[in-house]
């Protein structure tokens, strides 16, 4: 068990600068999730921690050791690969025992650890099988088992659930969480799935184009995104964005945009003071919109025309047209709405997000 | 309604009667037979007939121009007591064993090198195949020239480098001749091994190497525990093909030494040719050829059993 520190980490392949000045500290026993779209540098970062990719510049520290030049075997890490990477010619038992055999553990100790891990993962009855005789979920367990038996300082996960079907993915996600709670090993987990990031991570790192966008606890990232990218990436359905102009009308700040005319409360107006007279991006999460019967008392509502109604059971997603733009509203399942209905949507001013149009940073 | 009903019946009446042939082909058994026929004819004509004819020749006393009579196993009895035949058998085994070991070793090494990423990879891979592509007789003539005692470029180079001080008679010295012939066989055979094993290597998921590296296996252990077992089925097939080819090799030895000096490089195939075509003793030549058969059969059966075992596990 150890903390991992990444200092000013860079990776370039010829002309491509894949990872740009990443700084992270993963605390001891923490479950850290790196999330971002394909090509954002998250997997490259993980592979550099593993020692599978060389570092262009910067430092990686595991425990107290700078591991920049250490080969993977000397870093005391275990990795779970996206395609499991089980040795196809070895039994499940041998797959799990391989790392211990290579490290010259005594036979009884190997046996004890393999059986212990198999017990944790519920795969005792599969120990004599070959990987090709296993289902996707079982293979995933074996891959996890191979990491667990080693009792490493750090677990590295490279999109381990992305090859599983949706139902199994949810189940394995829960189990991963339980296993981490039980073992308490420091973990770095790479995924492009924001739900995995939100549910698994003690903290989450959002990356884009090789740059860390924001680091924080899942709900902090969700509620206070540092920029428009983080805001749009986390949350499903994604945050609605609209360009609005901020104007001062008799001392009160108003946001004017396509089909929007919002009188903002004073405390928010104060925050936006420096942007008066400019265009900014307004962000509203779908669940922060509600259907209002009449005009909202606080002047924070707008008219919308329903285009699509998606009934999910627990909630309804309304795709609505606001001016010439579109938004999604996640509303109570009891709301009666039909296509082409004219509605008024109200919003909570506390839950509004504003982003600078040029820098895209949160205001 | 009535009109359309009539029209329909008329259409049925005009439907063409299907011939006996097309009805037979509807039956899968007949269709299968019909589809197999061309292959069966080709195999019968060019493989089965020559084989049967060869077996028949081996049990007669036919010579060129004389059909011969059945003599039972007399030809084989003669071979049993023929010292040249025994030399040829021994040579064939040495030739096959030594050449195969070197071809496998060098081919695997080359395949592992070619499996890496480097500039000009595609070109190098294509280039490697050259010895395999050039007609054997042509390349072997080039080697013959290089082994020539007077004009040998190899001797010249060694001489200039001050390594030797007298000419080496590569093909004239009985001890060296077999080695020289094996060298050429290895040179010609390595590309086949390299390219086939490279294809096998490319089917192995590179993540396995990474997983093993993280598991703590140094490069040699990764090769021994991961690459080699996964490559084994391909290796066995490649070795099987190569052993059969090498065991029955003819062109190379025929061009380089013709089996000489003093039968030092005589193999099954060259001896069969010498007896059957060179001296016209067709029946004895056929007997030598046929004597190869049980050896090859044993090799093939053993290897196929092994391949099956590897695949099952």
């Amino acid at each position: 068990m150890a903390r991992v520190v990444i200092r000013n980490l860079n990776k370039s392949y010829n002309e491509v600068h894949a990872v740009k000045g990443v700084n992270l500290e993963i605390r001891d026993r923490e479950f850290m999730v790196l999330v971002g779209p394909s090509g954002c540098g998250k997997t490259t970062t993980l592979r550099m921690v593993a020692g599978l990719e060389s570092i262009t510049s910067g430092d990686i520290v595991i425990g107290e050791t700078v591991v920049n030049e250490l080969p993977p075997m000397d870093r005391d890490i275990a990795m779970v690969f996206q395609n499991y990477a089980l040795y196809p010619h070895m039994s499940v038992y041998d797959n799990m025992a391989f790392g211990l055999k290579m490290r010259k553990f005594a036979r009884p100790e190997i046996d004890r650890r393999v059986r212990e891990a198999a017990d944790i993962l519920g795969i005792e009855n599969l120990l004599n099988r070959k990987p090709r005789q296993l289902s996707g979920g079982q293979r995933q367990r074996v891959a996890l088992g191979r990491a667990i038996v080693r009792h490493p300082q750090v677990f590295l996960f490279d999109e381990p659930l992305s090859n599983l079907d949706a139902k199994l993915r949810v189940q394995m996600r829960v189990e991963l969480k339980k296993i981490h709670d039980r073992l308490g090993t420091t973990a770095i987990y790479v995924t492009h799935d924001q739900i995995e990031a939100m549910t698994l991570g003690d903290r989450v790192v959002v990356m884009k184009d090789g740059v860390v966008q924001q680091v924080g606890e899942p709900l902090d990232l969700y509620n206070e995104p540092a920029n428009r990218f983080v805001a749009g990436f986390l949350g499903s359905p994604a945050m609605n964005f609209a360009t609005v102009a901020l104007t001062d009308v008799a001392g009160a700040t108003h946001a004017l945009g396509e089909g929007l005319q919002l009188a903002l409360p004073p405390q928010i107006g104060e925050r936006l003071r420096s942007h008066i007279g400019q265009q900014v991006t307004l962000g509203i999460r779908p669940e922060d919109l509600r259907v209002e019967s009449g005009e909202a008392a606080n002047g924070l509502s707008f008219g919308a025309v329903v285009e699509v109604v998606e009934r999910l059971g627990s909630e309804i997603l309304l795709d609505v047209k606001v001016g010439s733009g579109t938004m999604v509203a996640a509303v109570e399942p009891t709301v009666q709405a039909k296509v082409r209905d004219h509605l008024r949507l109200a919003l909570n001013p506390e839950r509004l997000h504003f982003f600078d149009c040029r820098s895209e940073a949160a205001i | 309604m009535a009109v359309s009903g009539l029209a329909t019946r008329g259409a049925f009446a005009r439907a063409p009667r299907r011939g006996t042939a097309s009805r037979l082909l509807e039956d899968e058994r007949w269709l299968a037979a019909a589809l197999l026929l061309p292959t069966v004819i080709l195999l019968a004509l060019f493989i089965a007939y020559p084989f049967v004819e060869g077996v028949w020749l081996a049990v007669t006393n036919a010579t060129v121009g004389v059909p011969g009579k059945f003599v039972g196993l007399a030809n084989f009895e003669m071979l049993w007591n023929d010292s040249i035949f025994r030399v040829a058998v021994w040579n064939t085994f040495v030739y096959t064993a030594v050449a195969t070991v070197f071809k496998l070793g060098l081919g695997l090494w080359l395949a592992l090198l070619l499996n890496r990423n480097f500039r000009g990879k595609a070109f190098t891979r294509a280039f490697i195949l050259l010895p395999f592509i050039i007609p054997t007789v042509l390349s072997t003539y080039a080697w013959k020239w290089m082994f020539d005692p007077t004009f040998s470029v190899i001797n010249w180079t060694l001489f200039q480098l001050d390594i030797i001080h007298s000419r080496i008679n590569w093909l004239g010295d009985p001890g060296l001749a077999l080695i020289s012939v094996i060298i050429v066989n290895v040179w010609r055979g390595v590309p086949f091994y390299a390219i086939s094993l490279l294809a096998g290597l490319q089917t192995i998921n590179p993540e396995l190497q990474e997983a093993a590296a993280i598991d703590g296996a140094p490069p040699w252990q990764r090769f021994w525990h991961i690459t080699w077992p996964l490559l084994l089925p391909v290796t066995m097939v490649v070795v099987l093909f190569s052993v059969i080819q090498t065991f029955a090799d003819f062109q190379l030895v025929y061009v380089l030494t013709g089996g000489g000096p003093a039968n030092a490089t005589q193999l099954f195939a060259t001896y069969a040719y010498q007896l059957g075509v060179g001296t016209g003793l067709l029946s004895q030549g056929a007997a030598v050829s046929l004597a190869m058969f049980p050896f090859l059969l044993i090799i093939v059966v053993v290897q196929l059993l092994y391949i099956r075992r590897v695949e099952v596990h």
Side-chain angles (χ1 to χ4, degrees):
Chain A
M1 262 145 270
R3 64 181 194 138
V4 178
V5 180
I6 298 173
R7 268 190 234 117
N8 203 15
L9 186 69
N10 283 281
K11 176 72 186 179
S12 302
Y13 303 94
N14 300 327
E15 273 113 72
V16 184
H17 197 172
V19 173
K20 299 171 189 161
V22 168
N23 282 292
L24 283 177
E25 184 185 341
I26 297 121
R27 300 172 193 135
D28 187 20
R29 310 176 82 88
E30 187 172 40
F31 199 115
M32 181 68 108
V33 178
L34 305 187
V35 68
S38 312
C40 72
K42 56 191 190 298
T43 296
T44 308
T45 304
L46 188 80
R47 288 172 60 85
M48 283 193 279
V49 175
L52 298 173
E53 299 277 353
S54 61
I55 295 170
T56 306
S57 70
D59 282 321
I60 295 175
V61 182
I62 298 176
E64 302 304 323
T65 320
V66 176
V67 296
N68 294 7
E69 302 296 329
L70 283 184
M73 55 184 286
D74 297 329
R75 296 190 179 198
D76 203 6
I77 46 146
M79 184 154 166
V80 178
F81 291 83
Q82 181 172 0
N83 300 311
Y84 322 127
L86 299 179
Y87 311 124
H89 55 298
M90 294 185 197
S91 66
V92 167
Y93 186 97
D94 289 334
N95 261 284
M96 288 164 69
F98 184 71
L100 300 174
K101 279 182 192 157
M102 287 297 113
R103 280 157 213 273
K104 310 245 179 323
F105 277 73
R107 218 169 261 267
E109 174 65 7
I110 294 178
D111 193 62
R112 193 185 65 73
R113 287 204 190 183
V114 169
R115 291 189 190 284
E116 181 190 67
D119 177 56
I120 292 173
L121 294 161
I123 51 172
E124 304 101 316
N125 54 339
L126 304 177
L127 288 176
N128 292 322
R129 301 250 187 107
K130 287 280 167 63
R132 66 164 175 281
Q133 297 168 298
L134 305 178
S135 68
Q138 291 169 330
R139 285 178 203 186
Q140 188 58 72
R141 279 166 206 272
V142 177
L144 273 176
R146 192 168 62 179
I148 289 174
V149 292
R150 294 254 318 280
H151 299 180
Q153 297 218 57
V154 183
F155 283 136
L156 305 177
F157 297 97
D158 183 12
E159 311 219 14
L161 305 184
S162 57
N163 282 353
L164 301 177
D165 63 57
K167 201 171 163 190
L168 208 51
R169 199 178 307 165
V170 174
Q171 190 189 333
M172 283 304 288
R173 205 168 70 201
V174 174
E175 278 193 45
L176 263 177
K177 188 85 181 156
K178 280 188 196 157
I179 289 168
H180 179 253
D181 287 346
R182 175 166 172 178
L183 301 175
T185 309
T186 312
I188 308 178
Y189 185 105
V190 161
T191 180
H192 62 265
D193 182 321
Q194 49 105 6
I195 297 179
E196 270 174 37
M198 296 291 288
T199 51
L200 281 172
D202 292 325
R203 284 193 301 154
V204 174
V205 182
V206 180
M207 290 183 74
K208 183 197 169 198
D209 299 335
V211 178
V212 170
Q213 304 290 310
Q214 193 174 4
V215 184
E217 290 180 21
L219 281 181
D220 290 346
L221 261 55
Y222 187 80
N223 292 326
E224 288 163 39
N227 58 37
R228 183 180 161 159
F229 176 78
V230 175
F233 191 79
L234 299 179
S236 172
M239 186 184 277
N240 299 300
F241 294 108
T243 306
V244 294
L246 296 178
T247 54
D248 193 337
V249 180
T253 307
H254 281 61
L256 305 175
E258 282 271 7
L260 294 170
Q261 196 168 352
L262 307 170
L264 302 172
Q267 72 275 19
I268 294 175
E270 197 54 43
R271 205 170 84 205
L272 299 171
R273 185 130 304 271
S274 60
H275 287 75
I276 296 282
Q278 293 177 15
Q279 296 219 314
V280 298
T281 304
L282 168 69
I284 313 169
R285 293 220 178 265
E287 67 271 24
D288 293 333
L289 290 168
R290 60 179 193 279
V291 177
E292 193 80 352
S293 43
E295 179 83 20
N298 56 8
L300 284 167
S301 67
F302 53 90
V305 183
V306 178
E307 288 192 314
V308 179
V309 180
E310 295 175 279
R311 289 174 215 284
L312 303 183
S314 59
E315 61 180 357
I316 298 177
L317 298 184
L318 299 175
D319 284 51
V320 297
K321 209 161 180 65
V322 180
S324 64
T326 55
M327 285 196 186
V328 179
V331 300
E332 298 277 302
T334 50
V335 168
Q336 300 292 323
K338 298 191 299 294
V339 175
R340 282 187 290 280
D341 274 1
H342 287 256
L343 300 174
R344 271 209 93 67
L345 294 173
L347 42 84
N348 178 353
E350 304 290 327
R351 309 279 303 165
L352 289 180
H353 304 269
F354 293 92
F355 305 98
D356 189 289
C357 272
R358 237 168 301 145
S359 71
E360 303 204 330
I363 303 167
Chain B
M1 287 296 275
V3 172
S4 73
L6 267 177
T8 315
R9 210 171 299 154
F12 270 114
R14 275 197 300 278
R17 260 174 175 283
R18 289 168 43 231
T20 322
S22 72
R23 250 185 303 121
L24 276 179
L25 287 179
E26 290 282 308
D27 186 336
E28 271 186 30
R29 283 168 302 175
W30 284 99
L31 181 66
L35 292 177
L36 279 174
L37 200 60
T39 315
V40 170
I41 290 175
L42 282 177
L43 286 178
L45 210 58
F46 296 110
I47 307 236
Y49 171 71
F51 182 74
V52 172
E53 185 69 22
V55 174
W56 169 246
L57 269 180
V59 291
T60 65
N61 60 1
T63 53
V64 173
V66 181
K69 283 197 285 283
F70 179 75
V71 293
L73 297 176
N75 289 321
F76 294 98
E77 217 179 297
M78 214 181 301
L79 287 184
W80 187 253
N81 299 314
D82 178 356
S83 62
I84 301 178
F85 177 72
R86 266 180 254 155
V87 170
V89 172
W90 171 250
N91 284 346
T92 306
F93 274 94
V94 172
Y95 181 74
T96 307
V98 177
T100 303
V101 167
F102 277 95
K103 282 190 278 192
L104 177 60
L106 291 173
L108 183 59
W109 179 57
L110 205 54
L112 289 168
L113 287 179
L114 289 174
N115 197 32
R116 298 178 174 203
N117 266 323
F118 57 91
R119 208 182 281 268
K121 188 169 64 178
F123 175 79
T124 314
R125 285 180 183 173
F127 199 72
I128 290 292
L129 270 177
L130 269 183
F132 190 59
I133 296 167
I134 302 172
T136 305
V137 174
L138 294 186
S139 58
T140 309
Y141 264 110
W143 274 102
K144 193 175 185 182
W145 186 247
M146 293 204 292
F147 282 141
D148 185 282
T150 313
F151 305 108
S152 168
V153 65
I154 303 171
N155 281 356
W156 183 85
T157 311
L158 293 175
F159 192 81
Q160 294 298 322
L161 291 173
D162 214 20
I163 294 169
I164 58 168
H165 300 98
S166 61
R167 287 173 186 157
I168 298 177
N169 194 355
W170 294 99
L171 299 174
D173 181 299
L176 271 179
L178 192 59
I179 295 175
S180 304
V181 172
I182 288 174
I183 289 174
V184 181
N185 181 286
V186 170
W187 173 82
R188 188 191 54 177
V190 161
F192 171 68
Y193 275 81
I195 295 297
S196 310
L197 294 178
L198 176 62
L201 283 176
Q202 287 177 332
T203 63
I204 300 175
N205 180 359
E207 272 190 357
L208 295 180
Q209 295 288 335
E210 297 183 340
I214 289 176
D215 264 342
W220 163 247
Q221 299 273 25
R222 294 208 285 275
F223 174 78
W224 184 243
H225 289 289
I226 310 295
T227 312
W228 177 247
L230 291 175
L231 194 61
L232 200 53
V234 176
T235 310
M236 292 310 292
V237 174
V238 173
V239 169
L240 176 65
F241 282 154
S242 165
V243 163
I244 293 171
Q245 290 243 315
T246 313
F247 203 85
D249 201 3
F250 172 76
Q251 307 178 58
L252 216 157
V253 175
Y254 180 72
V255 171
L256 280 180
T257 63
N263 296 312
T265 57
Q266 199 71 270
L267 306 180
F268 265 113
T270 52
Y271 191 46
Y273 177 84
Q274 191 176 317
L275 280 180
V277 181
T279 57
L281 299 170
L282 287 179
S283 55
Q284 287 190 26
V288 175
S289 284
L290 201 59
M292 244 191 295
F293 187 69
F295 293 116
L296 281 179
L297 192 69
I298 292 169
I299 295 170
V300 169
V301 167
V302 168
Q303 285 194 313
L304 285 179
L305 284 176
Y306 191 73
I307 288 171
R308 185 184 293 180
R309 212 193 69 180
V310 167
E311 280 173 352
V312 166
H313 283 273

